[in-house]
Amino acid sequence: MSERNVRLTAAAIDAFNRADLDSYLELLDPAVSFKPYEVWAGDGDPLAGHAAVRAWWEAAFGALPDLRAEVDEIRDLGDWTLVRGWISGQAEASGLPIERPMWIVVEWRDHQAVGWCSCSSEAEALEAAGLEY
């Protein structure tokens, strides 16, 4: 089952890179707990459900229309996957580029992501998932 989760994670990242929100949402449980980097970094509460993910997506791609995730590795952790890579884009308003390390943990159940959290390090990602570093 876990190799399937690696493939599902890769499909979600691919949908993100194509800015294909509908395909992305198909991979997320309707009640997904979604914590993008800026929410995680601000110690905010996770976004809940497709409507919240849609609002985040529209804001993120509105500010950074060429936002992309470059994956170096997707690690199988059973019901979880861990993604290591880089995220980059250029701000629409200022033209300033952004690039930062990307660590994402995703919890999978019945072929859909039920939890998604983006962090700034492997240790923080594993801790967010309740897994040991």
Side-chain angles (χ1 to χ4, degrees):
M1 168 167 29
S2 53
E3 184 61 37
R4 179 182 328 130
N5 293 341
V6 169
R7 288 192 306 273
L8 291 168
T9 302
I13 299 291
D14 179 62
F16 179 86
N17 284 334
R18 292 183 287 110
D20 184 350
L21 177 58
D22 291 333
S23 293
Y24 189 78
L25 289 175
E26 284 178 14
L27 294 165
L28 303 183
D29 183 87
V32 66
S33 174
F34 187 81
K35 203 165 196 179
Y37 178 79
E38 60 276 13
V39 172
W40 174 84
D43 202 26
D45 293 329
L47 308 177
H50 282 189
V53 172
R54 180 180 298 280
W56 168 82
W57 181 286
E58 290 169 357
F61 279 95
L64 300 155
D66 64 345
L67 192 58
R68 285 198 52 80
E70 298 297 327
V71 173
D72 294 328
E73 174 186 23
I74 301 174
R75 195 175 313 156
D76 166 20
L77 302 175
D79 291 335
W80 293 82
T81 52
L82 176 69
V83 180
R84 176 178 55 88
W86 292 89
I87 193 140
S88 62
Q90 186 170 355
E92 177 74 13
S94 67
L96 291 174
I98 66 137
E99 183 174 294
R100 65 166 177 77
M102 175 182 74
W103 290 92
I104 300 170
V105 285
V106 185
E107 182 180 15
W108 295 95
R109 189 175 310 126
D110 298 326
H111 314 291
Q112 289 191 309
V114 296
W116 186 288
C117 185
S118 180
C119 303
S120 62
S121 73
E122 180 179 11
E124 291 162 338
L126 292 172
E127 181 181 327
L131 303 169
E132 289 189 30
Y133 179 63

